Amino acid sequence: MKVDVFVIGAGAAGLTAARIAAEKGLKVLVAEKGSGATIQSSGVIDVAGYLPSGFLFASASEGVRIIARENKSHPYSIIGGGQETEPEKRVKESEKLVRKALKDFVESMNSVRVNFMGSLDENVLVTNFVGTFKPTCLCPSTIYNGNTKNLDNSSVIFVGVKGFPDYDPKFCAQSFSDIAPGLKIKPKSVNHAYLDIPGLEGRGDILAIEIARRMDDPETLEKIGQNLQKRIESADHIAIPTAGVKSPEENIKTLAEAAGANVFELTSFPPSVPGYRLVKLLEKAAQNAGASVRRGYKVVGANCNKMVKSLKVEIGRKITEIEADVYILASGSFLGGGLKEEKDFLKESMFNLPVYSSDGTNLEEVCLEKLLSRNVFPMGGHKLFSSGINVNEKLQPISDKGEPVYGNLYAAGSVLSGYNYIAEKSGMGVAIVTGYLAGLNASG
Ligand SMILES: Cc1cc2nc3c(=O)[nH]c(=O)nc-3n(C[C@H](O)[C@H](O)[C@H](O)COP(=O)(O)OP(=O)(O)OC[C@H]3O[C@@H](n4cnc5c(N)ncnc54)[C@H](O)[C@@H]3O)c2cc1C
């Protein structure tokens, strides 16, 4: 089998790269061995939330500019031209590319009928299942409606579902009330309530995906709306744990009409319905562009000299060799499987590419333990989580000498070194922007 572009990984980075290359008319194959971080995510697009020191960026664009100026090895610097480029030029080029890539992302989501709202020029704070907040850049409209600016000076009710153990609305409301003043948000009142979901009554082990599927059923949704009306006397805003899988925007509208209030979804922890939706949407957009996405295709070996010639792919019990002109490594970090621990050392899983920490140290002889701090939550995060492969400004993996390891290999997403998405809140931003650039570069 032969294709033009072989993408390893179907997370945010791989699916974005695949869509871009397919839009250029290339024959694209995406192989995925199993799920990675994207499906676990809260489904909102963080671009730049914090500096490692904890400084909160007012906007993603401010974050990208500061990072590209000050942190030479960050992917936002690399895409702006890399270490050798003048800082001001790097900042300008990086911001330009980030804006282009995210505009393209929003348009691709519109093409599959989903509205992502927000702006690179203003981070918003969104609320999660435990009533805390995080800064983010773009969200599905169902989540964006509940950003904290909207909640100021109004009454908010957190609604839970009886028998759904992952979300306690009472705890969430309390935590929201405690934290809000520190963020200069003064809700008029914060309360909580519980609903029964028709078809799930009497159970104590309900999953978020089950509630979401009930929301997608028009008859059940109508009954949920009636339950909301009965339970809630009046509120300006109602927070619900999930709005559905297939038609969350329409479901939210229906519930808002029934309750006479703004209804929004909370961001959640894994297993996350918005994360699942995001993967499905990215996949649909890539497929609509012509890319072929194959789940259960595990890349187990590579045939390379100075170029990657072909990959060995395990499909069921068979090993098949697939050739391509260009390859994109979007295999993720630990959750995805792009990076792994081997005999106490950190390794890249597929091509045995050299792995570096964010300060540029080659980790070949550095024991993994040294990349972890004794403090569980160190300022700026553990070094391990900003380690990965180094790339040049074209996103080709490079060696110690700065030369591309293979002429026809590009890389994108969380397999890259130089950033810690947990500490920075930049996960999807880096994945989408580097996926976009890798897709363009792979298309020649
Ligand atoms: C719990 C959690 C919540 C998060 N929430 C957010 C959020 O709200 N907003 C945000 O911006 N970021 C968030 N992030 C970060 C974000 O999810 C990641 O930065 C992003 O998803 C990385 O995308 P990726 O495409 O690089 O990797 P992944 O999504 O991990 O994809 C890697 C892919 O490579 C495949 N793969 C690996 N090895 C092979 C192989 N040998 N053969 C074939 N396929 C292979 C995997 O199966 C997978 O499909 C969160 C992360 C976590 C863990």
Side-chain angles (χ1 to χ4, degrees), residues 20 27 31 55 79 117 132 143-144 207 240 247 268 305 324 363 376 400 403 413 422 433:
I20 297 293
K27 186 174 176 190
F55 173 80
I79 59 163
M117 296 174 70
T132 61
I143 292 175
Y144 188 85
L207 304 173
I240 58 171
S247 49
S268 54
N305 46 27
L363 298 177
V376 182
D400 274 353
E403 284 159 9
I422 305 164
V433 174

Side-chain angles (χ1 to χ4, degrees), residues 8-14 31-47 134 136 270 295 297-300 330-333 335-338 350 412-415 419 421 425-429 431:
I8 307 159
E32 198 218 32
K33 73 177 169 76
S35 57
T38 305
I39 202 164
Q40 309 281 355
S41 78
S42 324
V44 296
I45 312 300
D46 306 342
V47 176
K134 78 157 176 173
T136 193
R295 302 208 176 266
Y297 274 39
K298 180 179 180 184
V299 177
V300 290
S331 49
S333 61
L335 273 178
M350 240 155 293
S414 54
V415 69
Y419 75 113
Y421 71 70
K425 301 285 173 251
S426 60
M428 290 297 171

Side-chain angles (χ1 to χ4, degrees), residues 168-373:
D168 177 351
K170 187 175 175 192
F171 179 87
C172 184
Q174 186 59 54
S175 158
F176 179 89
S177 305
D178 293 344
I179 295 169
L183 298 165
K184 300 197 172 65
I185 301 157
K186 285 190 190 148
K188 274 194 227 147
S189 64
V190 181
N191 287 302
H192 72 277
Y194 291 90
L195 280 185
D196 273 323
I197 300 287
L200 300 177
E201 300 97 334
R203 281 184 41 197
D205 57 353
I206 299 169
L207 304 173
I209 193 79
E210 293 181 278
I211 303 171
R213 294 211 163 106
R214 292 293 192 289
M215 293 269 182
D216 288 334
D217 173 54
E219 269 178 37
T220 312
L221 186 69
E222 201 186 319
K223 287 183 191 150
I224 296 171
Q226 289 161 1
N227 286 352
L228 263 186
Q229 252 177 349
K230 274 187 229 153
R231 290 256 159 205
I232 292 165
E233 276 180 13
S234 82
D236 298 315
H237 303 279
I238 298 174
I240 58 171
T242 173
V245 183
K246 286 190 187 149
S247 49
E249 287 186 30
E250 290 80 354
N251 300 348
I252 286 271
K253 272 189 207 141
T254 306
L255 294 179
E257 273 165 27
N262 170 44
V263 177
F264 66 93
E265 255 184 319
L266 295 165
T267 60
S268 54
F269 306 115
S272 154
V273 175
Y276 174 76
R277 285 197 314 245
L278 179 62
V279 169
K280 291 288 157 203
L281 293 168
L282 288 164
E283 183 175 320
K284 198 167 169 196
Q287 285 170 332
N288 288 351
S292 172
V293 182
R294 295 277 178 261
R295 302 208 176 266
Y297 274 39
K298 180 179 180 184
V299 177
V300 290
N303 174 14
C304 316
N305 46 27
K306 286 188 174 171
M307 306 286 267
V308 182
K309 288 184 176 167
S310 63
L311 296 179
K312 289 191 178 70
V313 184
E314 190 180 281
I315 309 165
R317 288 187 184 172
K318 271 192 183 166
I319 307 266
T320 303
E321 194 131 337
I322 301 180
E323 271 180 65
D325 294 331
V326 181
Y327 299 81
I328 298 176
L329 181 65
S331 49
S333 61
F334 304 102
L335 273 178
L339 300 176
K340 63 177 183 184
E341 182 263 353
E342 199 176 277
K343 295 184 182 151
D344 292 338
F345 291 88
L346 183 64
K347 300 282 177 194
E348 186 280 317
S349 310
M350 240 155 293
F351 296 93
N352 202 18
L353 295 167
V355 177
Y356 300 86
S357 69
S358 55
D359 61 13
T361 310
N362 185 321
L363 298 177
E364 196 177 355
E365 292 180 0
V366 179
C367 181
L368 196 139
E369 208 182 276
K370 295 246 161 69
L371 302 171
L372 293 169
S373 168

